[in-house]
């Protein structure tokens, strides 16, 4: 898959690790910043990932901030985006199976690196179940 990844300063270090993981797993990575731990505003780094996923340039996106909350709020302003802030394998799996999440948000200050690695793998590997979930998604999202 081609995956866009972005972070603010709170997520910068974890982003670097997740980007390397994605490459090791054989994915193509579009890293849209930030590129240091200097303080920045998370919406400025949500937008490029949102654009790449919404316009079909990338298959999926990953956004990382301190809690994952700011990134998910910003990303979900676009009706083509279903951004899920996940903290464990269960929420990561269900965000794909039931919600067809196309952006994964992570809170680098909430979860450890090991949990992040596991849930990124699960999120990438889990297909959307479709069926009744598709009609629910269509009520709030442009698919
Ligand atoms: C930055 O301090 C922090 O507010 C940000 O990374 C994020 O957690 C916002 O939701």
């Amino acid at each position: 898959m081609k995956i866009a990844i972005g972070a603010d300063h709170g997520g910068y270090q974890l982003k670097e690790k997740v980007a390397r993981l994605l490459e090791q797993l054989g994915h193509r990575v579009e890293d849209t910043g930030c590129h240091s731990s200097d303080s920045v505003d998370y919406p400025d780094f949500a937008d490029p990932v949102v654009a790449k996923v919404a316009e079909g340039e990338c298959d999926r996106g990953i956004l990382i901030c301190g809690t994952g909350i700011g990134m998910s709020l910003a990303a979900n302003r676009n009706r083509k985006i279903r951004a899920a802030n996940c903290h464990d394998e269960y929420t990561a799996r269900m965000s794909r199976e039931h919600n067809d999440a196309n952006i994964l948000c992570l809170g680098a200050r909430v979860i450890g690196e090991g949990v992040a690695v596991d849930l990124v793998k699960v999120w990438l590997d889990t297909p959307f179940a479709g069926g009744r979930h598709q009609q629910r998604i269509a009520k709030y999202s442009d698919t």
Side-chain angles (χ1 to χ4, degrees), residues 8-11 40 42 65-71 109:
D8 72 353
H9 54 289
V40 293
Y42 59 82
C65 62
T67 59
I69 295 170
M71 285 298 198
R109 296 173 184 160

Side-chain angles (χ1 to χ4, degrees), residues 34-86:
C34 64
H35 299 293
S36 81
S37 294
D38 293 345
S39 183
V40 293
D41 297 335
Y42 59 82
D44 296 337
F45 293 88
D47 285 348
V49 170
V50 164
K52 284 179 188 293
V53 175
E55 289 160 19
E57 190 187 326
C58 288
D59 304 297
R60 304 265 192 95
I62 296 178
L63 286 169
I64 310 176
C65 62
T67 59
I69 295 170
M71 285 298 198
S72 57
L73 290 170
N76 279 315
R77 304 293 293 175
N78 185 308
R79 278 182 61 92
K80 287 192 169 175
I81 296 301
R82 293 171 302 284
N85 187 16
C86 298

Side-chain angles (χ1 to χ4, degrees), residues 68-104:
I69 295 170
M71 285 298 198
S72 57
L73 290 170
N76 279 315
R77 304 293 293 175
N78 185 308
R79 278 182 61 92
K80 287 192 169 175
I81 296 301
R82 293 171 302 284
N85 187 16
C86 298
H87 298 126
D88 49 43
E89 283 189 42
Y90 180 75
T91 50
R93 188 167 66 253
M94 296 310 284
S95 80
R96 289 288 312 133
E97 250 180 64
H98 285 194
N99 311 110
D100 196 19
N102 52 11
I103 291 184
L104 171 67

